[in-house]
Amino acid sequence: MNFKNEQVAELRQLNEDLENYFSNTIIPQLFVDADLRLRKFTPPAMKQFVLKEEYIGLPLDDIKENFRYPNIINNISTVISTGKMLEKEIQTTDMRCYQMNILPYITRKDNQTNGVIITFVDITARIEDLKEQEKLIMEH
């Protein structure tokens, strides 16, 4: 096998690994480029956003989302411009609470922020427990 064929085989394997990761992760994730276009998403993200494969490449503004959080685009832009992670607790229209992390996607070649990775962790049970504890404390 020559060098070029080895590189192609290695790239195919890396692509297969990434596709398996994306399709099997339980964490909702969105990958958005520096032009605020959707690059990729994990299947659990479909619960938060109305997402279809044909939305890949569309501006995030064009994709209907169900978060009660109007500043997501501004927050993404801030992370892209500063290169610093942003962490927020947000709520969806179905009253679920999420820890949203917007992380810079940094290209190693030039060490530049070229978009963001947005993750969502469901913290609804934790928030409900805290509210219940606060209620008990207030009663005593």
Side-chain angles (χ1 to χ4, degrees), residues 13-56:
Q13 183 59 52
L14 289 171
N15 191 49
E16 187 71 26
D17 291 346
L18 284 174
E19 288 302 321
N20 271 295
Y21 167 78
F22 291 130
S23 63
N24 292 306
T25 186
I26 61 170
I27 300 170
Q29 298 177 27
L30 299 176
F31 296 79
V32 178
D33 70 16
D35 296 322
L36 302 178
R37 293 184 177 278
L38 183 64
R39 297 266 323 255
K40 195 160 195 63
F41 58 88
T42 59
M46 296 175 83
K47 292 178 184 175
Q48 282 77 32
F49 294 85
V50 179
L51 293 176
K52 299 177 184 173
E53 284 294 323
E54 57 262 27
Y55 292 175
I56 303 264

Side-chain angles (χ1 to χ4, degrees), residues 102-113:
I102 304 175
L103 304 128
Y105 179 94
I106 300 172
T107 54
R108 294 180 189 200
K109 177 177 70 172
D110 54 9
N111 199 33
Q112 296 292 314
T113 301

Side-chain angles (χ1 to χ4, degrees), residues 90-126:
I90 60 173
Q91 188 176 53
T92 56
T93 55
D94 62 359
M95 305 306 286
R96 304 223 30 102
C97 297
Y98 290 87
Q99 174 72 43
M100 177 182 71
N101 296 311
I102 304 175
L103 304 128
Y105 179 94
I106 300 172
T107 54
R108 294 180 189 200
K109 177 177 70 172
D110 54 9
N111 199 33
Q112 296 292 314
T113 301
N114 192 28
V116 297
I117 300 168
I118 310 167
T119 62
F120 303 91
V121 177
D122 191 339
I123 58 171
T124 305
R126 185 179 342 153

